[in-house]
Amino acid sequence: MLAGSIQADDHGMKKDIVDTAAGAGQFETLVAAVEAAGLVETLKGEGPFTVFAPTDEAFGALPEGTVESLLEPENQEQLQAILTYHVVPGNIMAEDAMAADSATTVQGQDITITTMDGSVMINDATVVQADIEASNGVIHVIDSVLMPE
């Protein structure tokens, strides 16, 4: 499993979710979006949080101009809603997620969790890497951006 290679140790202490994502190299768009949405302090908070983190490639698959538009200051509320739809309160490891069929996000709507052929799906996104532990929660890498209704 690749989780160990991303797991961050800073003098024996794990990094928080934001610093872990920033250091992973595959979440530059997500980190920029978290900054633009004003959610850095929240996600550096005590938690614990479970973050379903879309990769840069997942953001790149959105219709052209979507990311740039969401990063505009006038769209901050919409960006916050999308990002908080990727966060579930608590520390939900993959094994726990596989036993669940849904979870309520920080944004307020539920996400659907299904397991098919050994893969965990969050709505229509596939978890491509699970259980990246941080000091204030866990990150599960997903292959597409979740959009609230």
Side-chain angles (χ1 to χ4, degrees), residues 44-116:
K44 283 181 162 286
E46 194 171 310
F49 303 107
T50 298
V51 177
F52 296 99
T55 61
D56 291 335
E57 197 172 284
F59 278 103
L62 292 172
E64 192 172 331
T66 302
V67 173
E68 293 77 9
S69 174
L70 287 170
L71 294 176
E72 296 290 330
E74 62 268 17
N75 295 322
Q76 187 177 34
E77 279 185 32
Q78 183 184 6
L79 182 60
Q80 287 173 342
I82 291 169
L83 293 175
T84 56
Y85 188 62
H86 289 77
V87 181
V88 174
N91 204 18
I92 303 170
M93 303 305 281
E95 189 175 327
D96 301 322
M98 290 173 78
D101 56 9
S102 68
T104 303
T105 67
V106 170
Q107 183 260 357
Q109 292 182 32
D110 286 355
I111 51 173
T112 303
I113 303 170
T114 53
T115 306
M116 286 178 18

Side-chain angles (χ1 to χ4, degrees), residues 4-28:
S5 65
I6 292 180
Q7 211 164 16
D9 277 332
D10 187 30
H11 306 290
M13 297 292 292
K14 289 183 194 142
K15 293 183 179 182
D16 62 47
I17 286 172
V18 175
D19 290 340
T20 300
Q26 60 182 345
F27 305 115
E28 290 178 26

